[in-house]
Amino acid sequence: MPRLPRRGLAVALLLPAVARAQGAAPLVAGAADLQFALAEIVALFRERTGMEVRTTLGASGNLTRQIEQGSPVELFLSADEGFVFRLAEGGHTRDRGVLYATGRVALLVPPASPLRAEDGLAGLRAALEAARIRRFAIANPEHAPYGRAAEQALRAEGLWDRIRPLLALGENVSQAAQFALAGGSQGGLVAFSLVLAPAMAGRGTYQLLPDTLHEPLRQRMVLTRRAGPVAERFFAFMQEAEARAIKRRFGFALPGE
């Protein structure tokens, strides 16, 4: 049986790896509030087009730094449009992207909590005054847009200084929701899109916060300079009627509505 020369063997071994890399599904980085909505949209995209995308979720600030440091992300779905603008100014994206949703913040209360979700932040104030709050969760305001919105809402109600020593800070808003429902916690401020997920049914109660308590969570998406045809197609799909219907069902306000 003829043998390949050493150089030819190396090339032959390399070709399948190159082919896999060329055919790899593009990486879509999404804000953590998209955890459940994005999974449904990706599944529907696969069903409608036969195309695959991979997803990674996290705090928008952390994802932004990863893209700046060379992460192979082709499409970025940020919970704060300011991070998209930052990437655009740094030359990491094709343009300044488009608005895909506006998020909302909700008070999430576990079953054993002394809080009642329907009392909102007024109930949180009363519980703080009665020393009934030992642990309360939000996302880290330093890099998570929902954490920053939570801080703004708590400051607007004059609760920030009192509750700050009791805060459990999630790395992102999805982790904050886990902390809010964990043993020993009395609740938290999280993304409305997370509490509406079927996976959260029966795990707690919630109350939507007035959006006047925080700056608008304008969520923007953008193609990076690495983007290929599949990422472009998914970018377009995110703006189509079926994807919009999923986002609407998870409590997002949509552009043009």
Side-chain angles (χ1 to χ4, degrees):
M1 179 178 177
R3 293 187 177 181
L4 287 168
R6 185 175 299 274
R7 183 171 180 276
L9 179 61
V11 171
L13 292 172
L14 180 62
L15 284 175
V18 171
R20 284 194 301 272
Q22 290 175 341
L27 184 60
V28 175
D33 68 313
L34 294 170
Q35 178 181 355
F36 300 106
L38 186 59
E40 286 197 21
I41 294 171
V42 167
L44 186 61
F45 177 72
R46 182 189 309 116
E47 179 183 324
R48 294 288 185 264
T49 67
M51 298 177 182
E52 295 278 356
V53 298
R54 296 174 294 141
T55 60
T56 182
L57 301 174
S60 296
N62 288 341
L63 294 172
T64 296
R65 283 191 291 274
Q66 290 168 16
I67 293 170
E68 289 171 334
Q69 293 166 5
S71 174
V73 170
E74 297 189 29
L75 172 60
F76 178 38
L77 305 167
S78 178
D80 176 357
E81 65 180 359
F83 289 119
V84 169
F85 297 152
R86 170 174 143 183
L87 289 172
E89 290 165 5
H92 299 281
T93 65
R94 292 187 179 182
D95 51 30
R96 290 168 65 86
V98 299
L99 191 72
Y100 68 88
T102 300
R104 298 291 301 276
V105 178
L107 172 65
L108 177 60
V109 176
S113 175
L115 295 174
R116 295 194 313 164
E118 58 266 32
D119 293 337
L121 295 186
L124 178 61
R125 175 183 289 105
L128 282 168
E129 290 173 351
R132 289 182 292 164
I133 302 298
R134 299 182 305 279
R135 190 168 183 256
F136 193 81
I138 67 171
N140 192 326
E142 291 187 4
H143 49 248
Y146 277 87
R148 187 171 67 247
E151 178 180 344
Q152 290 169 354
L154 291 166
R155 286 187 181 278
E157 292 295 297
L159 302 176
W160 178 251
D161 290 338
R162 184 174 298 176
I163 205 170
R164 189 173 183 179
L166 308 175
L167 291 177
L169 298 180
E171 184 67 15
N172 53 61
V173 74
S174 179
Q175 188 176 69
Q178 295 173 30
F179 288 171
L181 296 174
S185 176
Q186 284 70 59
L189 295 180
V190 303
F192 189 39
S193 60
L194 297 180
V195 302
L196 291 180
M200 298 288 283
R203 299 189 60 193
T205 55
Y206 64 87
Q207 178 68 42
L208 186 64
L209 263 58
D211 57 10
T212 54
L213 293 179
H214 58 82
E215 294 176 359
L217 284 156
R218 290 173 54 84
Q219 305 199 189
R220 185 170 288 263
M221 63 180 178
V222 69
L223 292 164
T224 72
R225 293 198 173 277
R226 300 173 180 269
V230 178
E232 292 171 352
R233 181 67 188 89
F234 188 73
F235 179 83
F237 187 77
M238 281 288 296
Q239 302 172 70
E240 295 174 7
E242 288 182 305
R244 287 173 65 91
I246 292 172
K247 289 182 285 184
R248 189 182 302 111
R249 179 158 46 82
F250 279 91
F252 291 104
L254 304 180
E257 296 184 3

